[in-house]
Amino acid sequence: PKLGLHLLLDLRDARGAARHVADAWTHWFATHRRSLTAVDVLVGSGSVHTAVAFAQHSSGTHDLVRIHRDPTRFDQALAPS
């Protein structure tokens, strides 16, 4: 199995993301892509979903980043496999 970092980001209480924040996520995801095994992000608002989806697409990490709106699905990602 590939060793690496699995990030779990609970952003459900965030109500927005400024463009510079989405740009920073994009840069970070792209820079650390080889170190990541997965990134699971729980979002609560449409604007945060859009910002994370933008970062996911722009960084070429659509195979690594999973965006969740359902807390139950996010919690399943927390469970050890």
Side-chain angles (χ1 to χ4, degrees):
K2 179 181 174 185
L3 297 178
L5 185 62
H6 180 182
L7 291 180
L8 299 151
L9 306 172
D10 185 344
L11 303 179
R12 76 180 102 193
D13 292 331
R15 293 293 161 234
R19 175 65 189 250
H20 72 277
V21 172
D23 290 342
W25 288 342
T26 300
H27 177 66
W28 196 92
F29 287 159
T31 301
H32 295 88
R33 181 180 185 9
R34 292 179 188 247
S35 302
L36 299 170
T37 56
V39 179
D40 285 277
V41 184
L42 177 60
V43 299
S45 79
S47 62
V48 173
H49 184 278
T50 300
V52 174
F54 171 81
Q56 174 192 44
H57 175 74
S58 298
S59 64
T61 55
H62 35 300
D63 58 327
L64 297 173
V65 178
R66 293 181 294 256
I67 304 170
H68 305 275
R69 284 192 172 266
D70 178 3
T72 303
R73 300 287 306 251
F74 180 74
D75 290 343
Q76 290 171 348
L78 290 170
S81 46

